[in-house]
Structures are given as C-alpha cells and as structure tokens.
Amino acid sequence: MINVSDQHAQHAPRSLIVTFYGAYGRFAPGPVPVAELIRLLAAVGVDAPSVRSSVSRLKRRGLLLPARTAQGAAGYELSAEARQLLEDGDRRIYATGQPGDEGWVLAVFSVPESERNKRHVLRSRLAALGFGTAAPGVWIAPARLYEETRHTLRRLGLDPYVDFFRGEHLGFTPTARAVGRWWDLAAIAERHEAFLDRHARVLRAWERRADTPPEDAYRDYLLALDSWRHLPYADPGLPARLLPAGWPGARSAAVFQGLHERLRDAGAEFAGL
C-alpha cells in the first residue's frame, strides 16, 4: 500500500466527512453516531477534535442535522439539501464512458449594480460547476450540466439573474481551439496527473493482492474518492475530439473506476453497512 501518512496530508477533515457521507453515511439506516464518525474518520487520519469542529461547520451550513439514533446516542444525518447535492454529484463522480457531443448550455447573467456582490457568487458557482467563460457574463458548459446547474442556482436564490440557452458552436474559431479559451485545459490536465500520481500506484498495489481487508479497502477508497470527487467539477467532460492529444482524463477516470469496483463494497464492511 501507499504510505498512509503521505495520503492523509492531502485531505482536509471537512472534505473527508462529506466524502464519507457520500460514499457510506447516507446509506446508514439512521443518524451516524458521533462516536462512529470519530472511529471512521480516525481510519483516514482525522483526530476527534478535527471531526467535531468540521461537523460543527457543516451543521452551520445546513448540510448536517443533529439527531438521535434509535438507541438514544447523539449523531448526525444529512439534510435534504445535502442529499440533493450528493445525488447531483453521483451523476458526475460515478459516470463511465467518454462523453459524446450533446451540444452546449449557455448561462447568461445580469446582476444590478446594487447587488453586485452576487456577481462574484455567480461566477464562483458557475466555475465550480465546470462552466468555462465564453465572454464577459456568458458562461458555457456541455448541455448535460444544465439540470444540476439549475438546481444549484435555484437553491442559492440566484436563478432570477440567469438565463439559460442550448445551442451549438458555429465558429468562426474551430471549436477544438475555442475550448482552450473557455477553459484552462493545462490546469485541468495537471489535476488529472496529480490524481494519477497519488492513486494509480494504489490501484496497482491492490491488483497484486488476492485479499481485500475491509479497513484497508475503506481507507484507500475514501482517500481516492476524496481526491476524485472534485475532478469531474474542474473538468467539464468535453468530447475527446476537442481535447489535446494524450489527455489524461480517461486514464484518471479508469484508475478511480478500478478502485471503486475493487474497494467500495469491502470498505462498506468496515463502515458497518
């Protein structure tokens, strides 16, 4: 296995808690007890004070709700908003296969000067959803991202400022060159390479093993998922014909899929699910 301390250094406690709920916690039959959260996060290098402070921040954001288990123990469950976020994320995080040419969705927004602080929020949110910038106030993404974007902007109360359009790119710049203006493809490729540097060797190590111990599987899967789940948002998933030669996205997706298939279910045993 990869050196565990090296992996832990790359992961924030709050992110790991969200990743845990996305992978396992949301399938629990009731609230996850605080003591169990502490045990499960300790397995990926998070100490108890960090778990408690991170949970408090997630509670303030309305993503976790305090609740009692059937046995009366203090615990936390996901809010409806958090469940929607995780379900939206599933479509990206666990997607398989190369995206096709489904056209584009354009988000065009106009914010009154009196509410100009919302411009930054809109730009940040669209970028976080994988949109590129086609022109000032005009953001572009593959059409399949429309539904999730609509959910997100409505939840944040930003929908009155945005109009959506579907369409195709007709030039004058060839589309394969235009996407290099709309997104920073070099930066996205670097993120894929970083994922491969960290996790491809983990997959190779598992491929050499005949056994799948639950705690080892849980640890390596949760750390890989925590690294991976941000990538399908940075990378909008453009068709292969629009990407530079040697694009690492397919390789990093294959590594994550290999780890998911090998480790997820064994990790669930350690999580008690």
Side-chain angles (χ1 to χ4, degrees):
M1 292 293 100
I2 188 172
N3 183 289
V4 174
S5 61
D6 289 347
Q7 285 240 79
H8 292 166
Q10 310 292 333
H11 301 269
R14 187 170 12 166
S15 178
L16 282 167
I17 291 171
V18 172
T19 300
F20 162 74
Y21 272 95
Y24 299 115
R26 61 173 150 162
F27 305 112
V32 179
V34 174
E36 189 66 358
L37 265 181
I38 290 171
R39 176 184 79 88
L40 291 166
L41 271 296
V44 287
V46 183
D47 60 27
S50 296
V51 172
R52 293 182 187 279
S53 63
S54 297
V55 163
S56 293
R57 288 194 291 271
L58 291 167
K59 185 172 69 171
R60 286 196 296 272
R61 288 181 56 196
L63 299 177
L64 289 180
L65 304 174
R68 293 277 172 182
T69 69
Q71 293 74 35
Y76 289 91
E77 61 187 6
L78 291 166
S79 67
E81 175 186 346
R83 287 188 180 277
Q84 180 67 65
L85 284 168
L86 292 174
E87 288 168 10
D88 283 342
D90 286 349
R91 287 190 285 274
R92 296 201 197 199
I93 293 165
Y94 301 108
T96 58
Q98 182 65 39
D101 289 348
E102 77 269 45
W104 305 97
V105 59
L106 295 176
V108 180
F109 65 82
S110 178
V111 179
E113 186 62 26
S114 60
E115 299 178 273
R116 60 183 178 273
N117 63 304
K118 292 185 178 176
R119 289 181 200 150
H120 173 71
V121 177
L122 262 169
R123 292 189 194 106
S124 298
R125 186 56 56 177
L126 288 169
L129 287 163
F131 277 69
T133 310
V138 181
W139 292 68
I140 188 166
R144 68 179 178 283
L145 303 188
Y146 163 68
E147 287 293 341
E148 182 181 359
T149 305
R150 184 173 61 84
H151 291 162
T152 300
L153 298 186
R154 182 166 288 169
R155 184 176 65 250
L156 295 172
L158 296 171
D159 50 306
Y161 308 100
V162 181
D163 284 305
F164 286 111
F165 302 88
R166 287 187 188 269
E168 58 181 311
H169 181 242
L170 300 175
F172 293 96
T173 305
T175 307
R177 207 160 65 216
V179 297
R181 295 199 315 257
W182 303 339
W183 286 275
D184 186 345
L185 295 179
I188 296 169
E190 284 180 12
R191 295 185 65 169
H192 282 294
E193 294 289 1
F195 178 85
L196 287 163
D197 287 346
R198 199 178 303 168
H199 297 287
R201 52 187 165 148
V202 178
L203 178 60
R204 288 195 297 270
W206 278 106
E207 288 172 342
R208 292 192 293 268
R209 294 184 67 166
D211 62 336
T212 312
E215 183 172 359
D216 288 351
Y218 169 87
R219 182 190 64 239
D220 284 351
Y221 180 62
L222 206 69
L223 293 171
L225 178 58
D226 193 60
S227 295
W228 172 257
R229 70 180 179 87
H230 304 282
L231 254 174
Y233 287 89
D235 185 340
L238 301 175
R241 68 178 183 83
L242 301 180
L243 293 168
W247 182 253
R251 288 185 285 123
S252 65
V255 166
F256 173 71
Q257 189 62 29
L259 289 166
H260 175 73
E261 291 174 358
R262 176 67 184 268
L263 303 179
R264 194 271 168 197
D265 290 346
E269 293 181 41
F270 181 73
L273 297 171

